Amino acid sequence: MAGVPTLILFLCTVKDVLPSNSRWKPTWPSYKVPVILPQSTLNLDKPQFDAETKLEVVSSCGLECHKRSPLPTYEEVKDYLSYETLYANGSLVETEVGIYIIGRGGDGSQSRSRTKRQIYGYDSRFSIFGKDFLLNYPFSTSVKLSTGCTGTLVAEKHVLTAAHCIHDGKSYVKGAQKLRVGFLKPKVKHGNKGANITSSTMPEKMKFQWIRVKRTHVPKGWIKGNANDIGMDYDYALLELKKPHKRKFMKIGVSPPARQLPGGRIHFSGYDNDRPGNLVYRFCDVKDETFDLLYQQCDAQPGASGSGVYVRMWKRQHQKWERKIIGIFSGHQWVDMNGAPQDFNVAVRITPLKYAQICYWIKGNYLDCRDG
């Protein structure tokens, strides 16, 4: 294939960024993304569903390791972005993809200081109480997976989460075939209609209402790469529900370089295990980045994995402020660096290629996925 080395550069950096003319409005860049289309499918044997769900990801490749990694070849990129689709009846299909390039640009990644711990001194997380907050945007977009992770509503029937919540890199987890998504709703108290029993000092009790998952998409980069350097880069999955959830959702977007984020910060909400039943919100500074990962010091515990990482920026075309999901919180990552373990909190960035893939999973039409 002629021109492959140049094409690989396009694959990893394609974008057309329009700088903001405003001095006070952080503005969403305009990206031109590649096109990813299915080329062939293969029916696979039904999975065993024998893996244990792991809410923490372990990787031997840290920040500097990721930065030193060579660019993948064209065939490797196609292989990583090919995917498996798991259906509720247990059937499994592998889809090979083709990639078509429409532009080029610069990465803009920048080296910054590192993060040290999962909880950084004073715990800066906020538990969200009361239906007035929990049922309103953006907190209402956070949902709980029956495997113990968090997910984010990104379309009428779709939830974005982390791949390790569904698949451990070798096999699907035990709860993946009967996977459900939980939506927090107020508990209904029978026999108290018309009675004013709400106290301003007592948060209203909530419960989860569950919807079954129809099918799940997991990129082959995660399935083939969990045990090596690139696995963390592909720790994302998309769930399609059996019926619409009828809530406002948050759109996905291509992750800008950290220096373009408002205040250099990211935000996300999740169901941390140390606060059962509570939705926990946090925001923090991004400390470093690679092309595929954001290294940050957001306080988090297992259970928050799969949360959608978002920012709020000005959308020039629509002349309004808009929140978008720019990454997926992969969780607390222990990294072996020269024999000494160090821990980071890591989020997977939605790159132009990942945007094209996830958007196609949602829309089923690449024409609606041209601008990130």
Side-chain angles (χ1 to χ4, degrees), residues 310-325:
Y310 67 87
V311 294
R312 179 176 178 267
M313 299 174 70
W314 181 254
K315 187 71 172 178
R316 183 185 294 103
Q317 297 92 324
H318 301 154
Q319 288 294 296
K320 67 176 183 179
W321 294 98
E322 187 171 317
R323 291 179 179 89
K324 288 185 182 181
I325 302 292

Side-chain angles (χ1 to χ4, degrees), residues 85-104:
T85 302
L86 174 67
Y87 293 86
N89 64 3
S91 61
L92 186 64
V93 177
E94 178 179 297
T95 302
E96 301 296 327
V97 302
I99 304 172
Y100 305 88
I101 306 304
I102 58 176
R104 66 175 297 176

Side-chain angles (χ1 to χ4, degrees), residues 60-134:
S60 60
C61 185
L63 175 61
E64 297 305 322
C65 168
H66 276 277
K67 288 186 175 182
R68 291 193 306 267
S69 298
L71 292 177
T73 66
Y74 174 73
E75 292 301 324
E76 286 175 334
V77 172
K78 285 207 308 178
D79 193 32
Y80 299 155
L81 291 172
S82 296
Y83 56 92
E84 288 187 0
T85 302
L86 174 67
Y87 293 86
N89 64 3
S91 61
L92 186 64
V93 177
E94 178 179 297
T95 302
E96 301 296 327
V97 302
I99 304 172
Y100 305 88
I101 306 304
I102 58 176
R104 66 175 297 176
D107 174 3
S109 296
Q110 179 174 313
S111 178
R112 301 194 178 193
S113 60
R114 289 182 187 161
T115 304
K116 296 287 185 179
R117 294 173 295 171
Q118 189 174 7
I119 298 293
Y120 302 85
Y122 175 74
D123 190 345
S124 60
R125 297 172 296 163
F126 302 88
S127 292
I128 306 300
F129 295 110
K131 66 179 182 179
D132 290 341
F133 291 101
L134 288 168

Side-chain angles (χ1 to χ4, degrees), residues 134-356:
L134 288 168
L135 301 184
N136 286 331
Y137 187 85
F139 303 118
S140 59
T141 64
S142 295
V143 292
K144 186 176 179 65
L145 274 59
S146 55
T147 54
C149 291
T150 299
T152 306
L153 304 176
V154 292
E156 290 87 349
K157 295 174 65 175
H158 292 90
V159 176
L160 187 64
T161 189
H164 74 260
C165 300
I166 313 298
H167 195 290
D168 74 349
K170 297 179 180 178
S171 181
Y172 286 88
V173 302
K174 292 180 179 179
Q177 184 175 2
K178 297 182 179 180
L179 188 63
R180 299 178 301 156
V181 172
F183 297 74
L184 267 184
K185 293 193 173 184
K187 285 187 177 180
V188 178
K189 295 186 178 181
H190 299 285
N192 289 310
K193 289 186 177 180
N196 184 10
I197 58 174
T198 302
S199 170
S200 59
T201 60
M202 292 290 291
E204 187 167 1
K205 291 185 177 181
M206 308 289 284
K207 67 175 183 178
F208 285 105
Q209 183 178 70
W210 299 89
I211 298 179
R212 290 287 301 274
V213 172
K214 178 181 178 180
R215 60 180 176 178
T216 301
H217 300 297
V218 178
K220 296 288 285 183
W222 171 258
I223 294 172
K224 294 188 175 183
N226 188 28
N228 62 32
D229 294 351
I230 61 97
M232 177 69 76
D233 297 350
Y234 294 89
D235 189 12
Y236 59 92
L238 187 77
L239 319 178
E240 181 181 343
L241 304 176
K242 286 195 170 182
K243 63 180 181 179
H245 53 73
K246 299 181 181 180
R247 287 191 179 186
K248 185 177 179 180
F249 57 86
M250 196 179 304
K251 295 179 181 178
I252 63 171
V254 175
S255 173
R259 67 174 182 271
Q260 293 184 16
L261 302 178
R265 290 176 175 173
I266 56 173
H267 308 249
F268 64 93
S269 301
Y271 292 97
D272 299 51
N273 284 0
D274 65 333
R275 301 188 186 184
N278 289 350
L279 180 65
V280 184
Y281 163 76
R282 74 227 77 196
F283 64 90
C284 68
D285 297 339
V286 174
K287 293 300 182 181
D288 212 326
E289 63 184 327
T290 66
F291 188 79
D292 287 283
L293 302 175
L294 292 174
Y295 291 80
Q296 31 73 20
Q297 53 184 165
C298 284
D299 292 327
Q301 292 288 334
S305 295
S307 300
V309 173
Y310 67 87
V311 294
R312 179 176 178 267
M313 299 174 70
W314 181 254
K315 187 71 172 178
R316 183 185 294 103
Q317 297 92 324
H318 301 154
Q319 288 294 296
K320 67 176 183 179
W321 294 98
E322 187 171 317
R323 291 179 179 89
K324 288 185 182 181
I325 302 292
I326 62 165
I328 304 92
F329 182 55
S330 185
H332 175 57
Q333 180 193 9
W334 283 97
V335 177
D336 183 6
M337 302 185 70
N338 299 321
Q342 295 188 28
D343 54 350
F344 296 87
N345 281 339
V346 182
V348 178
R349 297 176 70 177
I350 298 180
T351 63
L353 281 168
K354 294 171 189 172
Y355 175 89

Side-chain angles (χ1 to χ4, degrees), residues 22-26 321:
S22 172
R23 294 183 178 179
W24 61 278
K25 290 180 180 177
W321 294 98

